[in-house]
Amino acid sequence: MKFFDDIEIGQRREIGSYTFTAEAIKNFAAKFDPQRFHLDEEEGKNSLFGGLAASGWHVGSACMSLLVADGRRLAHEATSRGEEVAVWGPSPGFRDLRWIRPVLAGDTVSYVNVVVDKRVSGSRPGWGILAARTTGTNQRGEEVYSITASAFVPMRTKGG
Amino acid sequence: MKFFDDIEIGQRREIGSYTFTAEAIKNFAAKFDPQRFHLDEEEGKNSLFGGLAASGWHVGSACMSLLVADGRRLAHEATSRGEEVAVWGPSPGFRDLRWIRPVLAGDTVSYVNVVVDKRVSGSRPGWGILAARTTGTNQRGEEVYSITASAFVPMRTKGG
């Protein structure tokens, strides 16, 4: 992961795709969101979604898993180049979480992350706060998901 | 579930509690948020969280599962009383999602739901849009989680 100093507003990363199979949709829903339109094809068809639809929490959690995997890839590549890797802190919050369109069984959602803001933390010396917007787009090019998240990102230690 | 007409701003429901065991925290994280402080006690202790911490998506998904279970209980009770049960539509979005404090292994979070707004839908005749804020509080009385969600809720059919 990058240091605060090395991140620029506007930076864009494709972080990967996730295919929402009927099985994955039902498994997630059975545990965390057992509403009928997330569990059964017919119920989904008869709902406002028009098909077996993934739980919004599934869409968000899948996005999170891709963000983490992408962060690992970046860290691995940086380490391979002999660069120091920053260890990011936790997220102090999300905003503007939007499920714009249903994600139906068989849909593949591609997620893209764009840095939208950065500022120095007032409460934690040596840390900055980064805001990035992640959007998910289905195989028809329709935006289905959007979230803006902030994260604590360390600054390079002076002389470190 | 209630009809739009029968819901009042300010209505408050205790929707249940969820205990975040170390095992549940690690299982969720392994699938959806495999960051070190969600997977390992020592790594958690050495992080800004100060202990093995649940993924925020786990905290939100657990809240969702309690909301659904509570909705079923309400529907079952209404049916038992011979009342008509409304079938709610999907949520058009969430806002103000906040993870206020870490949720650590062994914490029990109790969730409470309060109706904060209701309005008639402009786009879907016969439907209203309800906004409700759900907060999670740990066993020490500290608020750890908050989200405001909206939902499409049907109105009683005239003469139905």
Side-chain angles (χ1 to χ4, degrees):
Chain A
M1 311 286 271
K2 290 184 178 182
F3 285 93
F4 185 73
D5 320 54
D6 303 330
I7 296 168
E8 281 168 32
I9 293 174
Q11 276 176 357
R12 186 180 181 282
R13 282 157 52 196
E14 295 184 9
I15 58 162
S17 298
Y18 185 99
T19 297
F20 291 82
T21 64
E23 192 190 357
I25 287 174
K26 292 176 191 179
N27 281 346
F28 188 96
K31 269 197 177 166
F32 292 113
D33 195 352
Q35 298 183 81
R36 66 206 191 297
F37 35 69
H38 299 323
L39 288 167
D40 183 274
E41 276 86 353
E42 278 306 306
E43 294 276 8
K45 271 186 202 156
N46 296 332
S47 76
L48 290 174
F49 291 125
L52 179 69
S55 165
W57 295 96
H58 191 184
V59 177
S61 295
C63 177
M64 188 73 215
S65 70
L66 290 171
L67 277 168
V68 173
D70 183 65
R72 290 212 176 143
R73 272 193 304 271
L74 287 176
H76 182 75
E77 289 168 16
T79 306
S80 305
R81 289 191 301 263
E83 295 170 11
E84 193 186 357
V85 173
V87 177
W88 286 27
S91 171
F94 280 15
R95 57 186 163 86
D96 302 335
L97 171 57
R98 289 199 304 143
W99 295 310
I100 300 150
R101 278 189 183 80
V103 173
L104 302 183
D107 280 355
T108 296
V109 177
S110 301
Y111 296 90
V112 171
N113 180 271
V114 179
V115 177
V116 293
D117 194 27
K118 60 180 280 192
R119 62 185 175 83
V120 173
S121 168
S123 61
R124 294 183 200 269
W127 291 81
I129 298 173
L130 194 77
R133 183 159 178 268
T134 305
T135 52
T137 304
N138 68 19
Q139 69 276 15
R140 289 178 298 279
E142 298 162 336
E143 202 168 284
V144 296
Y145 176 72
S146 167
I147 190 165
T148 301
S150 48
F152 282 105
V153 179
M155 298 176 185
R156 285 187 186 282
T157 312
K158 300 268 189 226
Chain B
M1 310 286 270
K2 290 185 176 182
F3 285 92
F4 184 74
D5 321 55
D6 303 329
I7 296 168
E8 282 168 33
I9 292 173
Q11 276 177 359
R12 185 179 182 280
R13 280 159 51 198
E14 295 185 8
I15 60 163
S17 299
Y18 186 100
T19 297
F20 291 82
T21 63
E23 193 191 356
I25 288 172
K26 292 176 190 178
N27 281 346
F28 188 96
K31 270 197 176 166
F32 291 113
D33 195 353
Q35 299 183 80
R36 67 207 190 294
F37 36 68
H38 299 323
L39 289 167
D40 183 275
E41 276 84 355
E42 278 306 305
E43 294 275 9
K45 271 185 203 158
N46 297 330
S47 76
L48 290 175
F49 291 125
L52 179 69
S55 164
W57 293 97
H58 191 183
V59 178
S61 295
C63 177
M64 188 71 215
S65 70
L66 291 172
L67 278 168
V68 173
D70 183 65
R72 288 209 177 145
R73 271 193 304 271
L74 287 177
H76 182 75
E77 289 167 14
T79 307
S80 304
R81 289 190 301 263
E83 294 169 12
E84 194 186 357
V85 173
V87 177
W88 286 27
S91 172
F94 280 16
R95 58 186 161 83
D96 302 334
L97 172 56
R98 289 198 304 145
W99 295 309
I100 300 152
R101 279 188 183 80
V103 174
L104 302 183
D107 280 356
T108 296
V109 177
S110 301
Y111 296 90
V112 171
N113 179 271
V114 179
V115 176
V116 294
D117 193 27
K118 59 180 281 188
R119 62 184 176 83
V120 173
S121 169
S123 62
R124 294 184 199 267
W127 291 83
I129 299 173
L130 195 75
R133 182 159 179 268
T134 305
T135 51
T137 303
N138 67 19
Q139 68 276 15
R140 289 177 297 280
E142 299 162 336
E143 203 167 285
V144 297
Y145 176 73
S146 167
I147 190 166
T148 301
S150 49
F152 281 105
V153 178
M155 298 177 186
R156 284 186 186 283
T157 314
K158 301 268 190 222

